Every structure is written in C-alpha cells, then in structure tokens.
Amino acid sequence: MEFYAEDGKNLSLDNSTLVLPALSIGNVGQLAVDLLVASLKAERIGYLDDSNVVPCVGNDAYWPSPPGELALPLEVYESSPDALALVQQRSPIVKGMMVEFARNLANFAAANGKKHVVVLSSLEFGRWQSIDMSSGSQIHYLSSSKSDGTDDHCEKQGWKRLPEYNTTQRMWKHLDDLAKNAASEVEELPFEELGDEDYYASLPYAALFSCFKVAKGLKVTCLLCYCSEGDNIPDAFHLADAVSKTLGLRPNSSQGNEGGCWTVPLSWKSVYGPPPDMSLF
C-alpha cells in the first residue's frame, strides 16, 4: 500500500486517531465517514493505492461547488483540530484479499503514528436474534481494550458488546492466525464451508479488527449498526453520532441540516437518482 500526498500536503503524526469504514450492508460505514468529513471540514491530504482494492473514479463528493477534482477508491483526510485522520473507501476489496488489505492498512496506520483506530460498519438486521430495545440504541461495539471485547467507555454510552464475539470460535481464531502470519498470501479457509456461527467473523470489519489488534497492537474500536438495505441515511446519522460520543467530537452545529449538527454531503443529493419525470403521469 502506497500513500500519495497532494501537492504541499503531508500526513501529520499528531493526528493519532484513525477513522475508517468497513464495507457491509447498506454502506452505512461509508455514509458515516461522509458525514464526518463534511461536518468536520476535514482536508483531503492524499490517496492510498492498494492492488487489493477495485479501481473506481468519480467527482468530488463533499463541497457545495465541486471543483472537478477526481475522487479515488481510498482517500485520506485530516481534521487537525480534532487530532483525527479519516480514510474513505469507495469500492470493494478484490475477492479473497480482505486480510491482505487489512494487513496493509494496519502497516500504514502503525507507520504513521496512529494509536487508536475506529472501524465503522453495519450488520444485517435479520441476524439480530435477541433484540434488546431497552438501551434505545441499535449500536453495538467490539473493542480491543479488554480480552473479551468490552470497553468501559462504550458501556457507559449504553451500547452492547457484540455478543457473538468469541476468541475461541474457529473463524476468529483463523483471522488472528492470518494476522500474525504476515508472510501468508493465501486466505483459504481451513474448513469446508461457513456456518451461521461464522457470519460475524467473516465480514470485513473482523479482518480489520484482527490485523490492527494482533499484527500491530493498536487500540481498535469497532462501532457496528444493525440495519436493513434501503434508505440507510438515518443509520449513518446514528453511527456518526456514536463516533462523536466515542471521540468527543464537536461537529458544526450551525448548518441546520437534517441530522442537526451534521452537514449533509453534496453527493447525497443524488444518492437515489433524480426525481421521476411527472410529465409521464
């Protein structure tokens, strides 16, 4: 993985927290990073290039008057007042290369002074077997702070640790083994097929969690939002709020947009395409 800085810009070692999405249902993690970048007015400082990411290109996603600058698959932003770096991922990982990508990203983070990594992702609502609405939150978490995945700060927010996390479960053990073995280029599973118990550890956030925690010893907090496919903008607001509470952020509260203190990115105006042509009716 290579980092290419924009002209006159460089990564700051002072921004010790990294926030990034892990692709999953509804792209909620990516939408939440959109909110954070737009609301914190984070500055794009460069791009990451990794052969495990599917190439894509688009127009600028955030600012009111897009200058025509290209948006690429992995963009790096910084909000220095918040000591925060963000990575936005816009295309999926090549099949079978998720752990290799996670290793590369962990190497990048560790080499550039990151101490705390916050991974944002979503989980399929249909797999929420025991729905506990008493907390009033659909946010769950997983943390490297303790061996059982719990974190005192997250618990104080009323969030529940992902109950399916089990370090002795075969898929979680397999991920940890791959994270430790940096020389391995093969991610073949040591078992014939995945069962229901393997679902949570088979998602991209799990590979990132293992590689950041096991391979590099960084503090990792995964914030996970149960959701369904459809209009996932409300879910993105929930996840962005969770990041704000976790890191003590103060996004701009003067915009008056949907979501209160959050600035809605320009690209969201076309997320569902143009309205129907009413002359047809």
Side-chain angles (χ1 to χ4, degrees), residues 26 28 31 227-237 258 268 271-272:
V28 178
L31 292 171
C227 68
S228 301
E229 289 282 7
D231 182 356
N232 296 109
I233 288 177
D235 303 310
F237 283 122
E258 179 184 356
W268 285 20
V271 68
Y272 294 111

Side-chain angles (χ1 to χ4, degrees), residues 177-231:
D177 290 341
L178 287 174
K180 293 174 185 175
N181 185 8
S184 175
E185 297 181 358
V186 179
E187 298 182 19
E188 293 182 2
L189 297 175
F191 24 89
E192 292 184 1
E193 60 183 26
L194 296 178
D196 286 344
E197 72 277 8
D198 301 306
Y199 166 73
Y200 290 92
S202 69
L203 297 178
Y205 82 89
L208 292 167
F209 179 77
S210 291
C211 286
F212 282 118
K213 176 188 66 140
V214 176
K216 294 301 175 181
L218 302 179
K219 179 182 178 181
V220 193
T221 304
C222 294
L223 297 177
L224 309 166
C225 178
Y226 278 94
C227 68
S228 301
E229 289 282 7
D231 182 356

Side-chain angles (χ1 to χ4, degrees), residues 18-262:
L18 174 65
V19 176
L20 67 151
L23 274 61
S24 188
I25 182 170
N27 297 318
V28 178
Q30 293 161 291
L31 292 171
V33 171
D34 270 352
L35 282 174
L36 290 164
V37 170
S39 302
L40 297 174
K41 296 179 173 59
E43 178 186 23
R44 184 172 59 192
I45 60 167
Y47 309 88
L48 291 170
D49 183 34
D50 191 282
S51 60
N52 301 305
V53 181
V54 176
C56 74
V57 67
N59 198 5
D60 182 76
Y62 298 111
W63 315 123
S65 300
E69 296 179 358
L70 296 180
L72 297 179
L74 290 173
E75 297 179 333
V76 182
Y77 294 82
E78 286 189 342
S79 176
S80 294
D82 303 292
L84 183 67
L86 305 102
V87 170
Q88 177 61 293
Q89 181 181 343
R90 302 191 180 283
S91 62
I93 305 302
V94 175
K95 185 176 181 180
M97 301 306 295
M98 185 61 218
V99 174
E100 180 65 21
F101 169 74
R103 285 198 206 105
N104 293 343
L105 201 52
N107 289 335
F108 163 78
N112 287 281
K114 308 311 174 193
K115 306 299 183 185
H116 183 195
V117 181
V118 181
V119 179
L120 310 181
S121 193
S122 49
L123 303 171
E124 184 182 348
F125 190 85
R127 288 184 176 268
W128 198 356
Q129 299 296 325
S130 301
I131 301 179
D132 178 10
M133 301 302 291
S134 61
S135 66
S137 174
Q138 66 195 83
I139 300 295
H140 282 58
Y141 78 91
L142 181 60
S143 173
S144 65
S145 295
K146 299 180 181 179
S147 59
D148 63 354
T150 59
D151 180 90
D152 292 340
H153 179 70
C154 291
E155 291 290 328
K156 289 178 181 178
Q157 303 302 323
W159 306 327
K160 303 296 183 182
R161 192 215 69 172
L162 187 69
E164 289 79 7
Y165 177 64
N166 182 353
T167 56
T168 64
Q169 195 271 338
R170 62 177 187 173
M171 190 65 183
W172 284 108
K173 289 179 65 178
H174 178 60
L175 284 176
D176 285 354
D177 290 341
L178 287 174
K180 293 174 185 175
N181 185 8
S184 175
E185 297 181 358
V186 179
E187 298 182 19
E188 293 182 2
L189 297 175
F191 24 89
E192 292 184 1
E193 60 183 26
L194 296 178
D196 286 344
E197 72 277 8
D198 301 306
Y199 166 73
Y200 290 92
S202 69
L203 297 178
Y205 82 89
L208 292 167
F209 179 77
S210 291
C211 286
F212 282 118
K213 176 188 66 140
V214 176
K216 294 301 175 181
L218 302 179
K219 179 182 178 181
V220 193
T221 304
C222 294
L223 297 177
L224 309 166
C225 178
Y226 278 94
C227 68
S228 301
E229 289 282 7
D231 182 356
N232 296 109
I233 288 177
D235 303 310
F237 283 122
H238 287 313
L239 202 51
D241 283 335
V243 179
S244 182
K245 292 176 181 178
T246 300
L247 301 179
L249 302 178
R250 297 180 180 275
N252 188 352
S253 60
S254 64
Q255 299 298 319
N257 291 311
E258 179 184 356
C261 63
W262 298 107

